[in-house]
Amino acid sequence: MQLQILVVDDIAESREALCALVRDLGHFVVGADSGHAALALMQCSRPDAVLLDLLMPDMDGFEVTRRMRELDGGRWMPVIVTSSLQGEEHFIHALENGADDFLARPVSAGLLRAKLRHYEDVLGLQSQIATLAQRQSDILDNILDPVLTLDASGRLEEFNRAAHTLADLHGRPLAAGATCRSVFGMELTALLAQRECRLRRVGGEEFVAELGLSEWRDQDRVHFTLVLRDLTEQRQVERMKDEFLATVSHELRTPLTSVLGALGLLAGGAAGALPPPALSLLEVARRNGTRLGRLIDDILDLTKLEGDRLVLHQRPQALAPLLREALSANQGYADRAGVKLASEGLDATPVEVRLDADRFQQVMANLLSNAIKHTPAGEAVSVTLAPAAQGVRVTVRDRGPGIDPRFRARMFEKFSQADGTDRRAQGGTGLGLYITRMLVERMGGRITADDVAQGGSFSLWFPANGAAPRAGGPVVLHVESDFEARRRVAGWLAPLCRVESAASLEQAAALRLDAPPALVVGNPKEQGAPVEFCTALRRLAGGRPVLLYGDTVDRAFCDSVGLPWLNAARSGPQDLAQAVLNVLGSAARPGANNVK
């Protein structure tokens, strides 16, 4: 790498000698006979390094160094002072005033070569870092979504080009140092718990944005980078889709009702007696028309639920009579399939739950029809009512082939089916469990798929008497280094308990909780050696239950340390909620770990 060196010396002979030495070393050199001349040259062309004589009549090297630093544009430029004076005091003074290095005159060619080679390497690295920083800045500025970075106190540190269109709550363009409250209308701690936020553009337009968040550290300082995606167009497309589905569904419902009515009249002999083959065909048409009607009902419910237009009429209900009614309503279907319906705990658990009775019957119809459909003839489908932590649990279990583990993580998603081919044994659209989950959650409950040895099992949990978990109820302490994972788990478990989070074991130990945790959940990832982490987690729990939740360990390791484990990569929010419910339900026994 050839450097451009500026040599500053008021004595022509020594200046030319030093310039010749620099040229011999393979570098480009420019000479200046005074400090003023050197500063004038820097206005036109900035050198890579400067060899500066300390003793000059018009302006000494100390003042030249100070003024050069004002002109370097923020890019480091090594200044090497030279002097024939004896002693080191003047060199120390030069270094204190901004010089980077020194050489005693007469200048040694070998020492100069070594120093320039060193600075050549350093300047090369500086160029690479500057190129990389510029590349990162260009990438950030070309992201179409606004990206903001806040410090730990919630003050705006930097933002990309797209964020220049945003304004604070007073309509002023964003500026470094703006507070979180002035931009988002809330403090940083509240913002970190949000998935969406409302923002304002320069000019006054307001919009809703999806909030993507990452927490990172620079040495010991915490920063939060926010990516804000405008949801206006997405919401408009969703509204158009919902309106289209609702319109089409209503338009299909009207002629289908007439068709089914006509088929019923024909089967009843309104047009005269029909031969047996015709009655058989009518039954096929009626059965498929009814199936089509259920599909239209599912689509209508889906559009209402996703559009938040479904009205629920919730009031305290005795749960046992509703379950008996559900069993009775599905008895005919079970008889035709040769499946028995059994119940347990309906008389032993007299409890009231706040819910919509009609929608609860819809939920039970979905679960029972699925269970009956997958149960072999001669086997039984069971419905169990039992108390659970701060509420009650309803379990529907079949004796079918069970749930494919690969399907478990997405089984409550829209249009999800274990067999997505056109040759699957059972029909369906994949909407039943999705609608069931949304209805249950809208009524304040939660649905989970249980891990059982045979068949499939689904559990519904509802808070007793419709009461939400008390703020002073069970405390779950979650130790996890990843901020997003902590926020995600806290949201999933919010209906069940109060979650206190910590990024490390040290932070967890420093927390001042108003009640001991009923359960400690920890992820060995990035927390040191796994065995030592588990030992420390047990010590932190103080004899209370412990659950490992992560994907960096396996079943064999967890068995070896004697702790229950849930694989985060292969489980969803329902699985975690069920695991926590299992532990909280037995937390009265110190040290009990019932999650397997």
Side-chain angles (χ1 to χ4, degrees):
M1 177 180 178
Q2 186 183 44
L3 299 179
Q4 180 174 325
I5 308 295
L6 173 61
V7 175
V8 187
D9 194 334
D10 64 306
I11 302 175
E13 183 180 353
S14 61
R15 183 175 67 250
E16 290 301 328
L18 190 53
C19 285
L21 185 56
V22 172
R23 282 193 208 95
D24 291 341
L25 295 176
H27 299 288
F28 181 77
V29 64
V30 176
D33 60 3
S34 68
H36 289 295
L39 294 173
L41 285 172
M42 282 192 63
Q43 298 282 357
C44 303
S45 176
R46 186 180 177 283
D48 294 313
V50 179
L51 291 172
L52 174 65
D53 185 23
L54 278 178
L55 301 180
M56 293 184 292
D58 67 329
M59 185 187 305
D60 63 25
F62 306 112
E63 179 65 15
V64 174
T65 300
R66 187 184 65 78
R67 295 196 185 185
M68 281 184 173
R69 290 301 181 210
E70 296 175 354
L71 298 173
D72 64 6
R75 178 172 175 262
W76 179 66
M77 178 185 67
V79 176
I80 306 171
V81 296
T82 65
S83 176
S84 58
L85 295 174
Q86 297 297 316
E88 60 185 18
E89 293 80 7
H90 51 288
F91 286 133
I92 294 173
H93 185 53
L95 294 175
E96 289 175 344
N97 281 271
D100 299 289
D101 208 340
F102 62 88
L103 280 169
R105 288 179 180 269
V107 174
S108 163
L111 184 57
L112 179 61
R113 178 187 296 107
K115 286 184 180 291
L116 292 182
R117 185 176 298 162
H118 166 71
Y119 288 118
E120 182 181 335
D121 293 339
V122 174
L123 290 169
L125 291 174
Q126 176 180 267
S127 178
Q128 294 178 26
I129 293 172
T131 300
L132 179 61
Q134 185 61 47
R135 180 172 180 268
Q136 296 297 328
S137 177
D138 291 343
I139 290 174
L140 188 63
D141 279 340
N142 281 280
I143 295 176
L144 298 180
D145 296 321
V147 180
L148 316 179
T149 297
L150 308 176
D151 63 16
S153 66
R155 290 196 172 273
L156 185 60
E157 293 183 313
E158 58 184 31
F159 47 92
N160 68 342
R161 185 179 301 160
H164 284 275
T165 64
L166 301 181
D168 63 16
L169 297 180
H170 301 288
R172 298 172 300 208
L174 292 189
T179 64
C180 184
R181 174 169 288 280
S182 70
V183 177
F184 297 96
M186 63 185 79
E187 299 297 339
L188 179 62
T189 52
L191 180 66
L192 299 182
Q194 306 298 314
R195 291 291 182 183
E196 297 178 0
C197 60
R198 181 169 290 277
L199 292 167
R200 178 175 297 183
R201 297 193 189 278
V202 175
E205 176 193 358
E206 292 189 358
F207 67 99
V208 176
E210 181 183 31
L211 179 63
L213 175 67
S214 62
E215 175 186 355
W216 54 280
R217 293 178 179 271
D218 177 13
Q219 296 178 349
D220 291 332
R221 297 176 59 198
V222 178
H223 308 267
F224 300 93
T225 295
L226 315 177
V227 180
L228 306 166
R229 174 161 297 175
D230 189 346
L231 295 177
T232 304
E233 184 176 349
Q234 178 182 329
R235 293 287 170 82
Q236 184 178 1
V237 171
E238 289 175 353
R239 282 195 300 271
M240 293 171 62
K241 179 201 69 175
D242 292 344
E243 291 169 2
F244 172 76
L245 287 175
T247 300
V248 170
S249 300
H250 279 295
E251 292 299 322
L252 288 174
R253 164 62 64 192
T254 301
L256 180 61
T257 301
S258 299
V259 169
L260 289 175
L263 290 174
L265 291 173
L266 286 174
L274 297 176
L279 289 174
S280 178
L281 292 174
L282 279 175
E283 177 58 25
V284 171
R286 186 198 62 77
R287 187 168 59 250
N288 283 279
T290 303
R291 180 182 172 189
L292 180 58
R294 286 197 297 268
L295 172 59
I296 293 173
D297 289 340
D298 283 347
I299 295 175
L300 285 171
D301 286 341
L302 181 65
T303 56
K304 290 178 182 178
L305 283 166
E306 293 189 330
D308 201 22
R309 296 190 300 270
L310 185 68
V311 178
L312 296 178
H313 303 284
Q314 294 189 221
R315 60 183 182 84
Q317 307 268 357
L319 202 52
L322 293 178
L323 293 175
R324 293 190 184 95
E325 183 180 342
L327 289 167
S328 177
N330 287 272
Q331 186 64 57
Y333 180 36
D335 291 341
R336 290 192 296 273
V339 173
K340 301 175 184 178
L341 295 182
S343 62
E344 182 180 345
L346 271 60
D347 296 321
T349 312
V351 64
E352 280 193 346
V353 173
R354 184 177 177 80
L355 44 74
D356 185 312
D358 293 335
R359 294 300 177 179
F360 180 76
Q361 292 297 344
Q362 182 180 347
V363 167
M364 291 304 300
N366 276 335
L367 296 179
L368 285 171
S369 62
N370 276 345
I372 293 168
K373 182 167 59 177
H374 292 97
T375 298
E379 295 288 344
V381 169
S382 63
V383 175
T384 304
L385 176 62
Q390 298 190 49
V392 64
R393 182 186 297 118
V394 177
T395 302
V396 178
R397 183 172 180 181
D398 63 56
R399 295 297 185 272
I403 302 170
D404 187 339
R406 295 170 298 180
F407 175 61
R408 182 181 292 272
R410 56 185 175 86
M411 64 189 308
F412 292 105
E413 296 176 5
K414 188 163 43 178
F415 302 118
S416 292
Q417 293 173 319
D419 181 3
T421 70
D422 58 1
R423 299 184 298 275
R424 60 182 183 271
Q426 304 290 349
T429 61
L431 290 175
L433 286 177
Y434 175 71
I435 292 174
T436 296
R437 176 179 69 82
M438 294 193 73
L439 286 172
V440 170
E441 291 179 353
R442 285 286 301 275
M443 290 187 287
R446 187 174 292 275
I447 182 171
T448 58
D450 307 321
D451 188 6
V452 294
Q454 178 187 357
S457 178
F458 292 90
S459 289
L460 306 174
W461 175 88
F462 290 99
N465 298 318
R470 300 182 306 275
V475 175
V476 171
L477 177 58
H478 183 210
V479 183
E480 164 64 63
S481 62
D482 184 77
F483 174 80
E484 275 297 325
R486 297 201 303 272
R487 186 171 73 160
R488 188 165 56 246
V489 167
W492 289 350
L493 298 182
L496 306 180
C497 53
R498 178 160 60 93
V499 179
E500 297 286 349
S501 300
S504 65
L505 288 164
E506 292 75 14
Q507 287 187 15
L511 288 176
R512 295 184 178 180
L513 303 179
D514 53 12
L519 167 67
V520 177
V521 179
N523 183 2
K525 177 183 178 183
E526 298 177 2
Q527 298 282 352
V531 174
E532 286 76 2
F533 173 78
C534 293
T535 302
L537 205 64
R538 271 200 174 101
R539 190 181 306 117
L540 182 68
R544 295 175 181 84
V546 173
L547 171 66
L548 297 181
Y549 181 62
D551 55 9
T552 58
V553 294
D554 55 20
R555 175 67 64 189
F557 169 82
C558 296
D559 289 344
S560 69
V561 297
L563 288 177
W565 170 62
L566 190 64
N567 190 334
R570 298 183 180 178
S571 59
Q574 294 84 12
D575 302 291
L576 178 61
Q578 186 61 58
V580 171
L581 280 173
N582 289 344
V583 174
L584 293 180
S586 59
R589 295 185 291 110
N593 286 322
N594 291 355
V595 185
K596 300 296 181 185

